[in-house]
Amino acid sequence: MKQNQMLNGIDDHTCKVTEAICLPNSRLPRVVIVGGGFAGLALVEGLKNKDVQVVLIDRNNFHQFQPLFYQVATSGLEPDSIVFPFRKQIKGYKNVSFRLAEVKEIQASTNTVITDKGKLTYDYLVLATGTKTNFFGMEEVERNSLGMKDIRDSLNIRHMMLQNLEQAAITCDDEERDALTNFVIVGGGPAGVEMAGALAEFCKYILPKDYPEYPSSIMNIYLVEAMDELLMAMSDKASSKTLTYLENLNVKVLLKESVSNYDGRVVNTKSGKTILAKNLIWTAGVKGDFPKGIDERHVVKGNRLKTDAHLKVDGQENIYAIGDIAALISEETPKGHPQVAQAAMQQGKHLAKMLLNNIRSKSSEPFIYKDKGSLATVGKRRAVADLGKLKFAGYFAWLLWSIVHLMSISGFRNKLLVGFNWAVSYFSYEKSNRVIIRNFKVDKDKKKVHKKASQPVEQIKSN
């Protein structure tokens, strides 16, 4: 195409970082993919070494395996075990280029993407930008808590936890020690449940060895869920079994309860409860994260982009959305498909075939999601599984969860590292990564001065 006979519409000799992102010359149609998550990488895999020029853009230079963020946060894994460089991933893909940049705006009228490093044109644009933590407008909660949508968030949680436990060993103030050793997790979905289970095992097996100064009972874990059951997307059996597992691990599960405010020390709930805690991890919701340039008329609930059955964004001719950012609204899926890895990967694979068919002037079938089941783990040897009509829990569910996640990690080395860490932990409950590499500090420029709680702090702690 004519626009690709030049370098992003600009002659080679005039290309500058401030004007355009330089790419290899190509006469092939250009597919620009924004986001290297599960959906984006599945699309890249489907288009590799085909008659298209593929450009992958991401703000990071690595893919992140999000399902295991909680294990990094609780010192079970090192971050390099679950991240994989894009350039290593696309090694040998002759038609694929990676560019490290953050997309700021889409100019659909000129088929142009504006990034913080320059601009480039496209023939087909695919948004696979995923989601970010949704605090539902509660600014004070956002300032003082931590989400878990990025590998950096996981490291921040780890450093916050270890620093607070160290400070608890130093202080002689009982109330301050309580605040430092209380953990509140908001959200009873898979991320919240798995985080609560991992923290409970840390409390049971690691705390007594590392901190003999005080009993492990001093560390309390609260899981706050607004609905009347955990794991709402799974079966009732999975939900009730998960609740039993967590209660057996001494996790205090608060159902039909939601957080109304958090000032960094006191958690307030809508029912009037107050919990003293300096550790709050937010897993209660996400919202779509995409650049400017898409008309708000095509944005639906959850800040997701509405697409047709062929994953094309409403109102656009050559812009597509896949993964968590996409909402394919139909009679069968009035809320869109679930925001899970398997849906994202299926959409990426389907779109690859469809784009190739479009280029070859062939028709394509609409996207149909095939649910392969859901899994969630609650610590070691405890998990729940919904596989169609087959629903079970316990050791075999945990074993299946482990195999599925291990095989899904990118790179043989990463599989080996994670497998080795899991094997050591299985026999010893040991977590060897309890080191504070850097101090975690709240951004004081964003944090306001808070007033003291107007009501006494509820001492739910069991001493």
Side-chain angles (χ1 to χ4, degrees), residues 202 206-213 434:
F202 183 98
I206 303 300
L207 204 69
K209 294 187 296 184
D210 281 13
Y211 300 93
E213 298 92 338
R434 303 185 300 277

Side-chain angles (χ1 to χ4, degrees), residues 193 230-231 237-247 378 384:
V193 163
L230 302 172
L231 300 176
K237 180 178 180 179
S239 175
S240 60
K241 198 67 178 177
T242 298
L243 179 60
T244 300
Y245 285 149
L246 288 173
E247 288 178 341
V378 192
V384 291

